[in-house]
Amino acid sequence: MTATTKDLQNIDNAHHLHPFTVHHELRETGPRVITRGEGVYLWDSEGNRIIDGMAGLWCVQLGYGEQELVDAAADALKTLSYYNTFFQTTTPHAARLAQLIAEKTPDGLDQIMFGSSGSESNDTAIKLIWYYWNLKGKPEKKTIISRERAYHGSTVAGASLSGLPFMQGIFDLPLPRFHHVGPTPHYYEYGNPGETEKEFALRCAKAVEDKILELGPENVAAFVGEPVMGAGGLMLPPEGYWQEIEKICKKYDVLLWSDEVICGFGRTGEWFGCQAYGYTPDIMTMAKGISSGYQPLSAVAINREMADAIVNADSEMAHGYTYSGHPVVCAVALRNIEMIEELGLVGARGEEISAYFQKKLAALDDHPLVGQTRGIGLLGGIELVKDKSTKERYQPEGEAGLICRRHCFENGVIMRAVGDTMFLCPPLVISKDEIDELFDLVRKSLDLSHKELSA
Ligand SMILES: *Cc1c(COP(=O)(O)O)cnc(C)c1O
């Protein structure tokens, strides 16, 4: 007996608390039930086929149902279903995965610690940073600076790092030692009239420097940023921004931490976003595409200087998780990363598909509802506005985004909305035909949204 959609919705409504959800609203409508995935497509419990423009939650690089990843998991499960990496022990898959990741990260960032989620790896990074400065005899260097509208996860530390007040106030966060700086480096929204993109980049970087000076460089441990800001609104750094940030961090002996959870593993066309934007961090955190979401995995990479301090310390690095370096999870990630390489998704095929995707995205600029499109690699953002020339939004803000998201679902395409920004982040294996289908459905949804909003 298979359960009907209604049965499943009732069970879910009775017992299941969902992430980032207004529950009384969900319980009125009932959740959508997704039952199957293949390639870039999902199916719901009513049999509708949906093209997934979001790769799950920015993570399914190889698409759904890839048999090689299924086999990698099955083989690993049969051989060694679990073992830990505590107590001077490793497993073949964990060791080989650390090596493979170290080959892809920028030179010098070759020491890897595993976890099970992006938030967890960010917690690990914070602890390694604090531990490092203690080992260096600078125990006062503890404050971490991030940016307004950043997303760095939702554990206590992840939410403290994030620059999104709606995630913080209800939990009495952020914790002390976490500071946020603005303006958010997003030229379309925060650039002043007459200010060039370059000038804007310098102003954003100057704000970081001012914040370091205000807090006292002797107190500032690290600066963290996503190469392209993701969940806060898909915002691309203005030209020259990261180079300036890199200089400022060096000048004040502040560690530069790149949160690569979305941008890693081919999303921007390179292995990592910092490579696409030409800067070298001291620390990187990664998750999502690292395993195409088939298994929960994250990793932190630190540079030699940090690693030397930790490796040569007398104290035990008393940190780690039961599932750090889980053999099944690592086996899947290994095959995933190998396949990203073998399929040329970082390389010739990736370049060709990204160029095609970006061309199609830019073609939406002429749509009456679209104020701006922007993107890199297989990331795209679409800004919905009432008036293209003044950038005026529909009121209340966020309504246009929700209307558009609903039309997308009804028309068989998943595009996410944050405020009035729509996101696209399809699997890296998407074909040109599938990109055509994706953008046909996106345009249709924009047309229907525009009609509804203009009525
Ligand atoms: C998703 C995300 C995280 C959190 O990852 P989880 O696996 O959900 O804990 C952290 N940083 C960035 C940039 C993300 O996009």
Side-chain angles (χ1 to χ4, degrees), residues 117-119 122 151-153 226 259 261-262 288:
S117 72
S119 304
N122 284 348
Y151 185 77
H152 296 294
E226 306 149 85
D259 181 341
V261 170
I262 286 177
K288 294 193 170 123

Side-chain angles (χ1 to χ4, degrees), residues 10 32 51 59 63-64 71 74 107 152 169 180 193-194 223 234 257 283 322 332 334 347 365 377 380 415 417:
N10 288 339
R32 180 179 304 103
I51 186 163
C59 56
Y64 298 94
D71 292 343
D107 280 352
H152 296 294
H180 303 85
F223 172 83
L234 209 117
W257 165 11
I283 308 147
T322 303
V332 171
L334 257 177
D365 278 329
M415 194 163 50

Side-chain angles (χ1 to χ4, degrees), residues 78-127:
K78 282 182 215 155
T79 314
L80 179 66
S81 46
Y82 169 75
Y83 203 70
N84 64 73
T85 56
F86 287 49
F87 320 129
Q88 309 200 347
T89 304
T90 193
T91 62
H93 289 133
R96 285 174 50 215
L97 181 61
Q99 179 191 38
L100 184 59
I101 293 171
E103 276 170 30
K104 305 303 179 204
T105 49
D107 280 352
L109 279 109
D110 64 356
Q111 304 292 311
I112 313 296
M113 185 162 199
F114 293 117
S116 305
S117 72
S119 304
E120 229 180 61
S121 67
N122 284 348
D123 276 36
T124 296
I126 291 164
K127 287 177 75 180

Side-chain angles (χ1 to χ4, degrees), residues 248-266:
I248 290 166
C249 287
K250 283 223 164 65
K251 182 170 168 192
Y252 297 105
D253 202 15
V254 166
L255 295 169
L256 177 55
W257 165 11
S258 195
D259 181 341
E260 299 275 351
V261 170
I262 286 177
C263 292
F265 301 96

